[in-house]
Amino acid sequence: MCLAVPGKVLSLEERDGTLMSVVDFGGVHKDVCLQYIPDAAIGDYVVVHVGFAIQRLDEESALQTLAEFEHLGVLKEEFADGFAVAAAQAGEENPEKAYQRPPERAPEEES
């Protein structure tokens, strides 16, 4: 499921001509494009959908929405590892955990 989730703007930065931000979604930090809200400021709350801030939101509404999403488990689902969620829904083990890279070997010393 793709939701529009409120988050707090933590930083502003231009990357390759695009206004970007790190946004805090109740403790989860993600890169977000601010091109649709170019006058957003650090500390503003924005609603983010598929990586784009699409509108501003007042702090009280943002915090209430985040609390409700947390209560419903929506934030975990939205920001969780997609492989783990799909595996759990299928009743299977997470394929990412099943594969374990062999340990690196140190080069053998020359005698």
Side-chain angles (χ1 to χ4, degrees), residues 3-7 23 25 31-32 46-55:
L3 296 175
V5 180
V23 175
F25 300 96
D31 284 334
V32 170
V46 293
V47 177
V48 178
H49 180 64
V50 293
F52 290 84
I54 56 175
Q55 75 179 56

Side-chain angles (χ1 to χ4, degrees), residues 7-56:
K8 185 176 184 177
V9 175
L10 299 179
S11 67
L12 300 170
E13 162 184 3
E14 188 172 315
R15 289 188 217 150
D16 299 322
T18 302
L19 183 58
M20 298 294 291
S21 174
V22 173
V23 175
D24 177 17
F25 300 96
V28 176
H29 296 179
K30 296 282 187 179
D31 284 334
V32 170
C33 178
L34 293 177
Q35 285 297 108
Y36 297 135
I37 308 176
D39 58 339
I42 293 174
D44 284 353
Y45 283 86
V46 293
V47 177
V48 178
H49 180 64
V50 293
F52 290 84
I54 56 175
Q55 75 179 56
R56 274 192 190 75

Side-chain angles (χ1 to χ4, degrees), residues 27-90:
V28 176
H29 296 179
K30 296 282 187 179
D31 284 334
V32 170
C33 178
L34 293 177
Q35 285 297 108
Y36 297 135
I37 308 176
D39 58 339
I42 293 174
D44 284 353
Y45 283 86
V46 293
V47 177
V48 178
H49 180 64
V50 293
F52 290 84
I54 56 175
Q55 75 179 56
R56 274 192 190 75
L57 188 63
D58 64 275
E59 182 176 15
E60 182 181 347
S61 297
L63 295 176
Q64 285 177 347
T65 302
L66 283 169
E68 189 61 30
F69 283 178
E70 179 73 27
H71 174 75
L72 296 171
V74 172
L75 288 180
K76 287 181 184 174
E77 183 177 315
E78 188 69 14
F79 295 118
D81 173 1
F83 285 114
V85 171
Q89 289 172 345

Side-chain angles (χ1 to χ4, degrees), residues 105-111:
R105 287 187 174 191
E108 297 199 24
E109 294 182 24
E110 292 182 26
S111 313

